[in-house]
Amino acid sequence: MRNYLARRLLGMIPTLAVISVLVFIIIQLPEGDIVTSTLDRLSATGVDLSDDRIQNLRAQYNLDQPLPIQYLGWIGNFITGDMGFSYLFARPVNELVWERIGYTLLITVCALIFTWVMALPIGIYSAVRQYSIADYSFTTIGLIGLATPNFLIALVLMYLGYSWFGLSFGGLFSPEYLNAPWSWERFTDMLSHLWIPVVVIGTSGMAITMRLMRANLLDELKKPYVTTARAKGVPPLKLLLKYPVRIAINPFISTIGLLLPALISGEAIVGVVLNLPTTGPLLVQALIAQDMYLAGSLIMLLSMLTVVGMLLSDLLLAWVDPRIRYERT
Amino acid sequence: MTDSLLSIRGLSVEFKTELGLVRALSEVSFEVPRNSVTAVVGESGSGKSVTSNAILRLLPDTAQSSGEIELNPQDGEPVIITSLDERDPQMQNLRGGLVSMVFQEPMTALSPVHRIGDQVAEAVLCHRDVSPDVAWAEAAAMLEQVGLADAESKMRMFPFEFSGGMRQRVVIAMALICHPQLLICDEPTTALDVTIQAEILVLIKSLQRKLNNSVLFITHDLGVVAQIADRVVVMYNGQVMEIGSVRQVLKNPQHPYTMHLLSSMPGAATDFREKNKNWSDGAAIGAGTFLVEADAGRKIREFRELSP
Amino acid sequence: MSELRELTPGQLAWLKFRRHRLAMIAAGSLIFLYTIAIFCEFISPYTPEQRNSRAINAPPMDVRFFDAEGQFNFRPFVYDLELTINPDTWMREYEEDASTAYPIRFFTRGEPYEFWGLFEAERHLFSVDPNGPGYIHWFGTDSLGRDVFSRVLYGARVSLSIGVVGVGLTLFLGVLLGGFAGYLGGIFDSAVQRMTEVLQSIPTLPLWMALSAALPAAWSPITTYFGVTIILSLFGWTTLARQVRGRFLAMREEDFVVAARLIGANDQRVVFRHMLPSFSSHIITTATLAVPAMILGETALSFLGIGLRAPVVSWGVLLQQAQNYQVIVMTPWLLLPGAFIVVTVIAFNLLGDGLRDAADPYSSLRQQ
């Protein structure tokens, strides 16, 4: 187990390295760089810098170096916790990111839990009562959920919320708590807003999870070990939960790895629609304004979140499924 | 009222398919006497496994059955199994308690994510009110009995660490741990190597003598029948063809199908065919026609499946 | 006894597919949607940029057969809209004016357009009398008075085609890389494998966003269209490549492939005559199921304003107008393009399910 953990941790390094190169390329993609865009804005306000100053600025950002050196400089800073400066907000990227990434993480994890808590029991029920009316209705609802873009669900929810209850959704805090310091009231206020993005983001994953659980369980129910357990005299409900469900659930632990990027993607766009204080809207603003240090750092961080999430899911899987534990140690 | 442990009377099973009802068993009747091994023999599709699954009510929901299965335990009231509800606690008690089962595929008959010991001990916990420690100890003793050396440490292992023969021993231990009066073995050696097959057969037979229970042994292999059975039930196409003692059926078959089955056996059968030259020709024709007809039926079914 | 006959695998698959009623319905709806997309210039009553200054933010108009007195009219018609300004909110409010009806006419002359960019035409499938004062906005209008129905049809062309073109590219990349990885093995295989792993662990949307935001704003609509398509397929190939590789590896060991080798078939023959046919159906299925992801991706990007941009009209671009809370509450009909997205994606999913069942040689006809 310890070997496995060590190997997996080491395996993350090349993955993250490749991702960082990709992100660096993305940062380089737009024409011009941070200095030229700064100069543009300065000259728009009537300030022209001398060539010396420009050279200084370029040197400050390592822009006079060849690209590989620039990359090393960037990633070195990143690792040591300096993510550069956002000219869009005129603040260090670190500050901007840290005040938001917590909410992203919170919403994503809640959405993941929501997805499972809703989808797994439904999937089990659908499999056990295959072709029942409930099975068909859940499948239909799941299909609609799968086909509706997250942001559309958010928009429709906003519309319904307004036209039925006169409520205005959006944001994570009521206005009076927006800038208030943390307190119990602020926390409960947040919870009362939190469920909307969680439900919206969780819905799309729910459909897939539901269908997978149903299919997995149907496969497992046909396996001989279920008959063995029945023949042994294990009571039906205990049998269902202890044997086929237990085994059918295992693959889901590994789908955290697939679900997580989808949830983070979903959060990015729902965050914009619902006006959440998360990384999603920040990323969109940064990209539209081509504030590439901010955008690049955000993508890098979101990818790191996913990679770590995948690692955790693999460890969890190895913990619950002895077959994997033994194969890989 | 007979003194048999198990009586099957007029058991018919049909499966619902979109092509209508498909009859798997029709009017099957036979008895399983106490303290003996009864073999049910027949080719694939003859309804052997449906019969054995019907006894423990393990048939899928699409099956409709009629007829009666009566279990007459040594020291209790007779039970009509066919009248019990699936969720009846008496049914749970029966399964694995009075009647238990060994399956064909030892590779898949055990849950891959639970330890061997847990799976064997669970059978005890399902039927008797004992502490997990007691159940665990009993499981260890039983595993030793089925020939698993160093059972204590093996019980902490998972099925995928075992060979097929070892797993089948575990399944047998699991089936016998509550001292069932009837042990159903559904082709328990088919999936195993020949040498392991022989070991398992000897094991089942010796445990039967030792525990004094009855065994209902499902197989397609007449060699196995000769080796293990006291009585034989020959089945074909969902019907019982012939019932008799192993000696009578193998040496002096009455039904043309049994003769055909015997003459189709390689090796031992050549000799048999020589000896019974006088009737084997006629028998072959009789049973042969029988087979051709049945095959034609199957063909028709297959083609119906293809056309809308 | 039914007539005995042999069926080719293709016939068998078609037979199985026809039994899949939902998949048939889905296939029908997709054919319908794509037909509309192909002939959108003709079918839509207006051009996408045509503005109606008398109907700004007008709600959808009901097409009627019965007039206010309950009389049946064989020719459908719409009522005129009467505009009032709400004195409290200063919002435009429209009310149907039952005294003026505009009958719907077919093959009317209207705003001229270039059909497929090839030739000029001015006939539209339906509209109201072009010389009269009337207008018909079946799905309402937006804040510039543009006809939402016409824009949805024009949007269908872009959104639906981006799915197909994107999947074509994805297929090409996936089959090529996955096939080579499975066939060559070795370093190439591990390289593709690692690449796949890395790409799958990056949240796609942020990456798509970053790349399409980097597309120069000066690009022409058509270049942007292809740029976005390429970006979408650049990360979509991983799943397919994985599957193709897996199938290749598994199939190399399959008895029928080994048998083909043993009777002396060369590599090329084994790959093209034996291996590819046996998973081409699988590829088609995967491709069908990948189209919705493309459509949803385009929609999401355009919705955020970093995919396709006006004047290109796609369903995502149309929904971008509805981003604002106020807009949704005042003009909820701007969400209608969303319904088209949902229907299309559901249809592709059902079609894919049907194809999968039909193409599986081991699934029996019994499964409905």
Side-chain angles (χ1 to χ4, degrees):
Chain A
M1 194 68 192
R2 196 168 294 160
N3 283 340
Y4 177 60
L5 179 66
R7 263 221 326 270
R8 281 306 317 260
L9 279 172
L10 284 176
M12 278 169 61
I13 293 171
T15 310
L16 287 173
V18 176
I19 293 176
S20 71
V21 173
L22 266 175
V23 170
F24 184 71
I25 293 172
I26 289 170
I27 294 179
Q28 299 299 322
L29 271 181
E31 290 167 56
D33 53 44
I34 185 159
V35 173
T36 48
S37 49
T38 314
L39 290 178
D40 284 350
R41 276 179 310 127
L42 283 177
S43 57
T45 56
V47 183
D48 278 309
L49 293 180
S50 65
D51 283 355
D52 272 4
R53 287 287 306 280
I54 295 173
Q55 277 309 318
N56 272 341
L57 261 176
R58 298 192 75 84
Q60 193 189 329
Y61 286 105
N62 279 331
L63 291 173
D64 47 355
Q65 307 280 336
L67 276 179
I69 305 288
Q70 285 190 37
Y71 165 73
L72 288 179
W74 173 73
I75 194 69
N77 282 341
F78 188 91
I79 291 170
T80 52
D82 174 13
M83 294 189 269
F85 193 81
S86 159
Y87 74 80
L88 179 64
F89 294 92
R91 285 171 63 191
V93 173
N94 287 33
E95 281 179 24
L96 284 165
V97 165
W98 291 128
E99 55 184 39
R100 281 170 175 255
I101 198 135
Y103 293 119
T104 298
L105 200 62
L106 176 74
I107 290 177
T108 310
V109 170
C110 287
L112 185 70
I113 294 170
F114 171 79
T115 304
W116 279 25
V117 167
M118 295 298 288
L120 293 184
I122 294 178
I124 294 171
Y125 185 85
S126 284
V128 176
R129 299 260 180 280
Q130 199 188 2
Y131 302 136
S132 65
I133 294 171
D135 177 25
Y136 281 122
S137 356
F138 284 134
T139 311
T140 312
I141 295 170
L143 195 60
I144 294 171
L146 188 73
T148 316
N150 274 326
F151 66 86
L152 197 60
I153 299 180
L155 291 174
V156 170
L157 212 61
M158 275 162 78
Y159 174 67
L160 293 182
Y162 180 82
S163 58
W164 289 356
F165 309 109
L167 291 173
S168 82
F169 295 147
L172 212 45
F173 297 99
S174 305
E176 62 266 34
Y177 292 109
L178 198 53
N179 294 312
W182 277 107
S183 62
W184 178 248
E185 285 76 21
R186 189 173 192 244
F187 180 70
T188 49
D189 178 63
M190 182 184 76
L191 287 187
S192 70
H193 285 81
L194 191 65
W195 67 271
I196 301 161
V198 166
V199 168
V200 170
I201 297 164
T203 311
S204 56
M206 213 168 99
I208 307 166
T209 314
M210 219 162 79
R211 290 176 87 180
L212 262 176
M213 182 69 203
R214 180 175 178 274
N216 281 359
L217 189 57
L218 282 174
D219 280 352
E220 290 299 327
L221 283 172
K222 285 183 206 129
K223 297 250 172 95
Y225 68 83
V226 178
T227 318
T228 313
R230 270 174 88 191
K232 204 155 63 172
V234 184
L237 186 66
K238 184 180 173 200
L239 187 147
L240 178 71
L241 294 179
K242 181 168 174 186
Y243 291 92
V245 168
R246 163 79 205 277
I247 293 168
I249 275 182
N250 279 352
F252 284 96
I253 295 167
S254 62
T255 57
I256 297 180
L258 291 173
L259 214 54
L260 214 54
L263 289 175
I264 287 182
S265 291
E267 196 282 314
I269 193 163
V270 171
V272 174
V273 177
L274 291 178
N275 191 23
L276 302 176
T278 55
T279 49
L282 197 63
L283 180 61
V284 174
Q285 287 175 43
L287 285 171
I288 291 177
Q290 307 224 320
D291 185 353
M292 294 320 280
Y293 278 103
L294 180 54
S297 308
L298 280 171
I299 295 174
M300 190 68 211
L301 278 176
L302 292 180
S303 306
M304 280 168 69
L305 270 187
T306 322
V307 172
V308 171
M310 281 179 165
L311 173 78
L312 289 179
S313 78
D314 278 0
L315 294 179
L316 199 60
L317 186 63
W319 182 56
V320 299
D321 194 332
R323 285 172 294 182
I324 291 168
R325 189 159 71 223
Y326 282 70
E327 254 167 50
R328 298 199 188 159
T329 39
Chain B
M1 172 131 177
T2 55
D3 191 38
S4 300
L5 175 63
L6 183 82
S7 321
I8 298 177
R9 290 188 285 265
L11 180 68
S12 297
V13 174
E14 287 171 330
F15 287 97
K16 266 185 280 180
T17 70
E18 52 300 300
L19 300 165
L21 289 176
V22 171
R23 178 158 279 223
L25 290 184
S26 42
E27 296 288 322
V28 168
S29 303
F30 64 85
E31 317 251 308
V32 179
R34 294 182 199 284
N35 307 334
S36 66
V37 178
T38 304
V40 177
V41 67
E43 56 190 271
S44 20
S46 62
K48 317 175 293 261
S49 293
V50 176
T51 311
S52 66
N53 283 333
I55 298 171
L56 275 183
R57 304 283 298 276
L58 295 175
L59 296 172
D61 294 339
T62 50
Q64 298 175 326
S65 54
S66 61
E68 220 175 51
I69 301 174
E70 183 184 326
L71 183 76
N72 196 357
Q74 204 108 53
D75 41 9
E77 288 292 299
V79 194
I80 310 280
I81 298 176
T82 35
S83 69
L84 291 180
D85 184 73
E86 161 97 48
R87 291 179 181 274
D88 195 318
Q90 218 180 334
M91 191 70 224
Q92 305 305 332
N93 185 36
L94 200 120
R95 284 181 178 161
L98 288 170
V99 182
S100 62
M101 199 156 171
V102 174
F103 297 90
Q104 181 170 355
E105 280 290 340
M107 304 310 272
T108 51
L110 293 168
S111 158
V113 298
H114 294 91
R115 290 173 200 279
I116 297 288
D118 288 331
Q119 295 192 52
V120 179
E122 185 183 33
V124 182
L125 293 171
C126 283
H127 295 285
R128 279 185 290 139
D129 191 18
V130 292
S131 74
D133 288 342
V134 175
W136 186 269
E138 279 189 31
M142 195 67 227
L143 284 168
E144 297 271 2
Q145 256 192 44
V146 297
L148 227 57
D150 193 18
E152 266 294 337
S153 69
K154 292 220 168 77
M155 284 169 77
R156 290 179 205 286
M157 293 165 77
F158 290 95
F160 58 86
E161 298 171 85
F162 278 34
S163 69
M166 278 159 83
R167 288 190 209 189
Q168 198 60 301
R169 285 171 197 272
V170 172
V171 176
I172 292 172
M174 207 159 82
L176 288 177
I177 194 159
C178 290
H179 305 294
Q181 301 192 10
L182 177 64
L183 175 69
I184 302 171
C185 300
D186 188 359
E187 306 237 10
T189 56
T190 312
L192 301 175
D193 296 342
V194 183
T195 45
I196 311 288
Q197 272 189 26
E199 282 175 25
I200 296 285
L201 282 181
V202 170
L203 177 73
I204 291 174
K205 184 79 184 169
S206 69
L207 284 171
Q208 184 264 324
R209 293 218 179 97
K210 199 154 125 199
L211 302 172
N212 243 343
N213 56 13
S214 292
V215 173
L216 182 65
F217 199 97
I218 316 286
T219 182
H220 62 266
D221 187 340
L222 285 167
V224 171
V225 173
Q227 207 179 333
I228 196 169
D230 301 313
R231 280 167 56 81
V232 186
V233 177
V234 182
M235 286 186 71
Y236 177 75
N237 210 12
Q239 286 166 313
V240 173
M241 299 281 114
E242 185 166 2
I243 303 178
S245 73
V246 69
R247 215 181 161 68
Q248 178 255 310
V249 171
L250 293 185
K251 293 279 179 211
N252 186 21
Q254 299 299 305
H255 194 279
Y257 175 71
T258 319
M259 297 174 196
H260 185 83
L261 201 62
L262 284 167
S263 60
S264 68
M265 253 184 85
T270 335
D271 172 66
F272 171 85
R273 224 178 281 156
E274 286 293 310
K275 224 190 307 178
N276 300 294
K277 226 178 181 154
N278 50 335
W279 51 258
S280 81
D281 279 355
I285 292 166
T289 357
F290 193 29
L291 281 175
V292 170
E293 277 165 15
D295 275 351
R298 202 178 296 156
K299 282 263 160 55
I300 292 164
R301 225 170 33 232
E302 274 165 16
F303 274 103
R304 283 228 182 91
E305 281 174 23
L306 295 185
S307 42
Chain C
M1 195 155 121
S2 63
E3 197 189 328
L4 302 182
R5 58 198 166 113
E6 281 188 23
L7 296 170
T8 64
Q11 284 173 313
L12 190 61
W14 170 235
L15 210 62
K16 283 196 246 174
F17 182 73
R18 266 198 342 216
R19 285 221 169 170
H20 218 289
R21 203 176 312 138
L22 280 175
M24 284 297 284
I25 296 173
S29 346
L30 286 177
I31 292 173
F32 180 71
L33 282 170
Y34 273 87
T35 313
I36 285 180
I38 291 169
F39 299 106
C40 67
E41 291 102 336
F42 170 65
I43 296 173
S44 57
Y46 300 100
T47 56
E49 297 304 327
Q50 199 177 341
R51 296 178 183 192
N52 181 351
S53 53
R54 287 178 302 132
I56 294 206
N57 282 339
M61 296 160 79
D62 290 331
V63 175
R64 294 168 188 275
F65 286 95
F66 292 94
D67 61 24
E69 280 89 49
Q71 214 113 49
F72 177 77
N73 285 41
F74 186 69
R75 185 179 280 282
F77 62 92
V78 292
Y79 281 131
D80 191 22
L81 289 180
E82 205 173 352
L83 171 70
T84 48
I85 306 283
N86 185 322
D88 296 331
T89 57
W90 289 96
M91 296 307 249
R92 288 159 189 269
E93 280 174 10
Y94 290 89
E95 218 167 306
E96 275 189 337
D97 172 13
S99 60
T100 333
Y102 302 119
I104 292 172
R105 298 181 193 283
F106 292 92
F107 302 106
T108 47
R109 238 174 252 283
E111 185 81 357
Y113 54 86
E114 275 194 0
F115 190 65
W116 291 350
L118 293 177
F119 51 88
E120 300 253 328
E122 51 177 17
R123 293 278 174 191
H124 293 263
L125 177 63
F126 71 94
S127 187
V128 292
D129 185 3
N131 303 318
Y135 44 81
I136 174 167
H137 297 300
W138 197 22
F139 287 178
T141 59
D142 65 7
S143 57
L144 295 174
R146 296 177 295 195
D147 181 41
V148 175
F149 180 68
S150 302
R151 287 170 70 79
V152 166
L153 297 193
Y154 277 82
R157 175 175 285 177
V158 173
S159 291
L160 291 176
S161 66
I162 222 166
V164 175
V165 176
V167 163
L169 264 170
T170 309
L171 267 184
F172 177 73
L173 283 171
V175 172
L176 199 73
L177 291 170
F180 272 118
Y183 199 75
L184 295 175
I187 296 177
F188 189 78
D189 184 26
S190 1
V192 171
Q193 282 270 80
R194 286 295 91 71
M195 200 60 215
T196 312
E197 263 166 41
V198 170
L199 286 181
Q200 284 189 338
S201 63
I202 308 180
T204 35
L205 190 68
L207 207 59
W208 282 347
M209 284 158 63
L211 288 173
S212 61
L215 293 179
W219 277 11
S220 72
I222 191 85
T223 338
T224 317
Y225 171 89
F226 281 110
V228 169
T229 315
I230 289 170
I231 290 168
L232 290 177
S233 32
L234 221 50
F235 300 98
W237 60 268
T238 51
T239 326
L240 194 72
R242 255 197 175 172
Q243 285 176 354
V244 170
R245 174 184 172 274
R247 301 282 290 197
F248 245 96
L249 287 180
M251 219 178 283
R252 267 203 322 218
E253 314 296 322
E254 289 245 14
D255 290 344
F256 74 93
V257 173
V258 176
R261 260 184 227 287
L262 285 178
I263 60 168
N266 59 15
D267 270 6
Q268 203 188 339
R269 192 178 164 80
V270 168
V271 171
F272 288 101
R273 293 282 304 170
H274 295 274
M275 290 167 82
L276 264 181
S278 66
F279 66 79
S280 59
S281 57
H282 183 82
I283 292 176
I284 293 170
T285 309
T286 314
T288 313
L289 291 172
V291 176
M294 291 282 157
I295 295 179
L296 289 176
E298 180 274 320
T299 312
L301 288 180
S302 306
F303 174 75
L304 289 175
I306 43 185
L308 300 174
R309 288 159 208 148
V312 179
V313 180
S314 81
W315 289 341
V317 172
L318 290 180
L319 281 175
Q320 202 199 343
Q321 290 181 301
Q323 223 185 68
N324 184 315
Y325 186 70
Q326 228 93 45
V327 175
I328 304 164
V329 173
M330 299 314 300
T331 54
W333 51 90
L334 291 182
L335 289 176
L336 274 169
F340 282 79
I341 297 171
V342 175
V343 169
T344 309
V345 174
I346 289 182
F348 268 110
N349 272 305
L350 291 176
L351 179 68
D353 283 352
L355 286 177
R356 177 165 48 206
D357 287 352
D360 180 2
Y362 297 112
S363 83
S364 72
L365 268 182
R366 263 170 257 159
Q367 293 157 354
Q368 26 144 355

